[in-house]
Amino acid sequence: MNGGLITVPTTEIVSDLRKIDDQLTELYKRVAGAATNWTMPIVRALLLNLIVYARSAEEAEEAAANISEISGTHPCRAIIVDVTTPQQSSAVQSSKKQQEGCAGIITTVCGITSRGDRTLCGEIITLCLTPRADQVIGSVTPLLIGDVPVVLWIPGDIPQDDPDFESLFLMADHVLLDSRQFADLPAGLNLIPRFCPHEGAECTSADLSWASIQTWRELVAQHFDPPSMRHYLAKLQRVDVTFAGSRDVGSHPEAGVLHKYPPSAPLFLACWFMLCTGLQPRKVEHSDQGQFIIHAEQEGRSVEIRLSPTGRELPEGRIGAFVVRGGDTSDTATFIVKSVSMTEMVVTEECPGVCLPPQVLDVVPESDAALAARALDANRRDVVYEDVLKMASQVLKEIRS
Amino acid sequence: MVEDLQFTNLESSPNPLRRGLPREKAVMPCVFVVFGGTGDLAHRKLLPALYHLYRGGLLPRKFAILSYASGDLTDDQYRESIQESIQNFAPSMSAEGNKWEGFAQLLHHCRRTSDVAESMQRLKKRLAEIDSSVRAEGNYLFYLAVPPSAFAATAKGLHDVGLAQDPEGRAWRRLIIEKPFGTDLQSARNLNRELQSIFREEQIYRIDHYWGKETVQNILVFRFANEFVEPLLNSTYVDHIQITVAENIGVEQRGKFYDVTGALRDMVQNHLLQVTALVCMEPPPSLDPEAVRDEKTKLLRSIRRIQPEDVTEVTVRGQYAPGVFLGERVKGYREEDDVAPDSDVETYVALKLNIDNRRWHGVPIYLRTGKRLAKRVSEVAVRLRNVPQMLFDDAQASEIQPNVISLQIQPDEGISVRFQAKVPGLTLNIRPVRMDFKYGAAFAPSAPEAYERLLLDAMLGDTSLYARDGFVEAAWELVDPIIEGWQLTKMPAHSYLPGSWGPKEADDMMARDGRRWRRL
């Protein structure tokens, strides 16, 4: 992936899905032909089936871009089930989909491995389907590569009462979803547990919102790696999480539009911290300033966890800072992790005695594709996420009530 | 999860915030002290590995590196020298910009003079200053990148100034030493005794970079995470095993060391026996470091000792002659720098081992290693027995080759299986085919460098990939009688041409058993 993606003109319309393998073979020949000056071997590596269920032209196009990015590290056969009608599609997609007899669009995506010794290629098949369950199942199933995992990526809201989606879901070993995109967060979170309905369920799910807070969890955890800092966790005073508010409509000068619910990433971060430190949420307040205050208890003491929108220049819903204050009156310390830009974070300790100076850390901005790639690598049940999900649902229920 | 939090012993419990993170264990604040910090190993391997770990965010924020060596350098001069080394030896990492500046601030240097006691006192003082500035909490890792002859004296020096143990018993102190761990059983025992008089065994990390290689570690996964492999690995199905660690280079700048060491001590005593242990050991009850090390040691103790009088039958010594390698004229071993012109030291060795346990009874393990061989390749090949019932006529049967499972360790890491397939057509023709798995074709990210993994493990306190005293001694117990036998029988080192697969006598040894070496 270090070497980046290689672009060669390798997109074709397929009119007969039964001949798709032949056409793919031809396409790869063209890749090889175009690659005569490349110095490394080209490998068609299909390590998984990645089905994207797109319900808008934007979703389909974004999916194709994400898969191209993922292919550098996770070469796969991606099948984009684009159930938009030609009328709904963007100009480019629409022109292709409207072509006489378009059954699918095939594209090869190649990336150079980090060692730079191979070019790994995968493929994207965008199906030109109209929404109809028998067509979806009948078109997707034969195209799946046998004996490798099937991952179903849901870019937006989880579909309900949708037979197309249900048929795909039944085939999946792993589901990728993104609760940051849910239009109705409480309803969406309540649907997630169905992907892992019981202990030992084979299908696992991964939430890109949860994946997006991994760096935050790591940096917060680092504050408490030295055993001498752990006692502050047992004497928490207050936790502050700030996040970028919406800028679409401003009803608050600082925060932008007031959120009905906190965005999923800061909510997950707060819930994760509460779970790890034994904080039990008791009550949630929603202030006029757009702030959410979770009143929690730790060993009989009350602790406030504040989720506050800010007007900082970060994408909507993104976490701005996580601040933990702990200790007692004679020994109080504050631990701060703060995002100062898309590529820099600062960690600070304010504690009695000698404290380390603030440290600026470079971070790589994480695209959806990078988060998805990380979720694909983990590919196992995440019990911490499941616990966080339960607590987040509980907090949202409190807000709603 | 909530119930797991123990408020009463938070300091001794794992960090509760790490649960579910990719790194469930983190390196504690510490100072990494490199004895020989201006030397080749530190510049080529250790510091680049630490820099890579730093870039990956794997080092703690409260961390420092202190070089202890004879050079009279300021901290800034030392930083510049390391920057230059990273540019030369690890050019894929940028040694400029924010990342480098951050790392450079971790680097310090303390000069060693001829007055060892005074130098050690200075080291102690410097360490205390650095510790208080980075709040390392008294955790120190001492890496002895110095000649083996200095191990015991350095350990004693650390003891004399009170650095070997934390006086309060709260912080950890660890010692890493590089192979070779002794030159024979007696010297290995002496070294172990000397080190253990100062450090407890769990504080001693005997490093062999070979163990840090991803594919070596993957042998465990391949064997124990796949149900189809383990049932085959026994005398019912396996005819023999071949383990090859071949290099296509000569002794390069190591003539002085090599001429008193030889291939048996340099490679077999550690690398090849370690791989043998991983391939042949019983499944450990858990991945706990001690459980894995127990099984490896047990396996070595099950290998039948080669009696001195048997060496001519089951061992071969070789030495590369001058010749042409891929069109280039190359020196013979005796012409190499710092090598005696009449040297009889072996640059190639082949062995036949037998394991006296139920699983491997009657299955020979053939080892070979050498310099200036045809290719740089390391491989474990498990050759299965011939199919017992022949369905095919003689002509067809003669085409049937036994199955081979091969684990390629380097350079092109992977696993392949050789099996028989019918050639398409109207007649029944059979051909062997290979089913290949290549890491590079399946996983785009490259594996970490061996030193990165090993240094990180040492800082985490994970000893799995480090050799224990018992393992080292058991390895010498196998090697010593071979050396004794070679001396007793005056066994010569047979000459072989550069670019070949070793002396003809090694082929003869296999031929006596009706077998042959794999052509790699």
Side-chain angles (χ1 to χ4, degrees), chain A residues 250-300:
Chain A
S251 64
H252 184 271
E254 283 290 307
V257 71
L258 294 184
H259 289 260
K260 199 172 169 190
Y261 301 107
S264 72
L267 175 64
F268 284 166
L269 190 62
C271 290
W272 161 76
F273 190 78
M274 287 195 286
L275 275 163
C276 293
T277 53
L279 285 165
Q280 304 282 355
R282 299 290 180 223
K283 198 175 80 177
V284 185
E285 274 180 60
H286 188 184
S287 80
D288 294 342
Q289 310 301 308
Q291 192 177 51
F292 299 89
I293 305 168
I294 303 169
H295 297 275
E297 257 182 42
Q298 184 190 46
E299 299 269 283

Side-chain angles (χ1 to χ4, degrees), chain A residues 69-83:
Chain A
E69 199 179 327
I70 291 174
S71 287
T73 51
H74 297 75
C76 59
R77 169 169 285 187
I79 303 171
I80 300 178
V81 183
D82 176 3
V83 291

Side-chain angles (χ1 to χ4, degrees), chain A residues 185-240:
Chain A
L185 187 62
L189 293 193
N190 284 336
L191 289 173
I192 294 176
R194 68 166 293 212
F195 296 119
C196 291
H198 51 80
E199 287 280 334
E202 280 193 13
C203 177
T204 57
S205 62
D207 184 344
L208 301 195
S209 176
W210 174 245
S212 76
I213 66 166
Q214 187 176 301
T215 305
W216 286 90
R217 289 165 61 210
E218 171 65 34
L219 293 177
V220 173
Q222 279 182 17
H223 275 305
F224 303 95
D225 279 333
S228 58
M229 293 292 164
R230 303 257 174 85
H231 67 278
Y232 292 110
L233 289 178
K235 294 178 204 159
L236 292 168
Q237 294 175 7
R238 184 172 145 169
V239 179
D240 279 286

